[in-house]
Amino acid sequence: MHHRSHRIRRTTAALTVLVGSLTACGSDALERCVPEASTTASAAQLVGTYEGSLEAEGVRLTLTATPGGNRGGTLTAENWPTGNFHKSQPGRAFTGTGTWEVEDARPPKGRSLIRMQFDDPSEVTSSDTLDKLSIGIDAKRIFVYDDSDPDVCPDFRLKLRQN
């Protein structure tokens, strides 16, 4: 549903590759802003409290596992934005509860997603309210984020708080 021109995206991708190759000197010297989107994330890995940064500043998401269930559980979202913030038109933020589950990686994208269902549909005033997040996991960090453009660092991202 992106209305940006493909020319801009191609140019950005070409610049990203160019800048990346200039600064990385052939090695992965730069740590990615978020880990690569996971294809094998499990619900058990994702339980905990996530703190937002950048566009998600002040947003908190807490995921709890359902006992005996390995697909997901319950969630609490604080300051979650409604509306189409892809177009820089965020609506009112809300705090609410709901459920979540891991959606297994499916072709062609081949990455796991968290699918969220909020309990109070009246809070979610727009069908554009973000309810699916990519999952990034590496040795040190776990992020959930809106992966609207894989060539660009996600502005809406939340990091699992390490206890």
Side-chain angles (χ1 to χ4, degrees):
M1 311 295 171
H2 293 289
H3 302 293
R4 280 186 279 169
S5 93
H6 291 292
R7 181 178 299 143
I8 291 174
R9 183 169 291 153
R10 278 199 303 271
T11 306
T12 304
L15 282 173
T16 304
V17 168
L18 182 65
V19 170
S21 60
L22 289 175
T23 54
C25 300
S27 71
D28 195 8
L30 291 175
E31 192 171 24
R32 288 174 54 91
C33 60
V34 295
E36 201 77 53
S38 173
T39 56
T40 58
S42 73
Q45 289 174 287
L46 301 173
V47 168
T49 298
Y50 294 78
E51 303 280 350
S53 59
L54 300 176
E55 270 181 21
E57 188 69 46
V59 177
R60 180 178 291 159
L61 178 65
T62 303
L63 302 179
T64 309
T66 304
N70 61 351
R71 305 285 316 132
T74 58
L75 68 83
T76 303
E78 296 170 55
N79 294 317
W80 199 261
T82 62
N84 192 346
F85 62 96
H86 296 301
K87 295 195 179 106
S88 302
Q89 296 168 343
R92 182 168 81 71
F94 70 98
T95 293
T97 56
T99 57
W100 65 280
E101 66 177 18
V102 175
E103 191 175 281
D104 286 333
R106 282 201 302 249
K109 294 262 193 199
R111 51 183 190 189
S112 306
L113 295 172
I114 291 183
R115 180 185 292 279
M116 300 179 294
Q117 185 86 43
F118 295 105
D119 287 335
D120 186 355
S122 68
E123 285 289 5
V124 186
T125 54
S126 149
S127 60
D128 288 323
T129 295
L130 188 62
D131 62 358
K132 275 196 269 203
L133 296 172
S134 292
I135 303 161
I137 299 177
D138 65 19
K140 301 187 293 290
R141 307 171 299 162
I142 297 180
F143 278 89
V144 293
Y145 56 95
D146 174 32
D147 194 8
S148 56
D149 184 345
D151 294 326
V152 176
C153 232
D155 286 335
F156 190 90
R157 60 187 195 235
L158 299 107
K159 182 179 183 183
L160 181 63
R161 209 168 52 201
Q162 305 297 333
N163 292 337

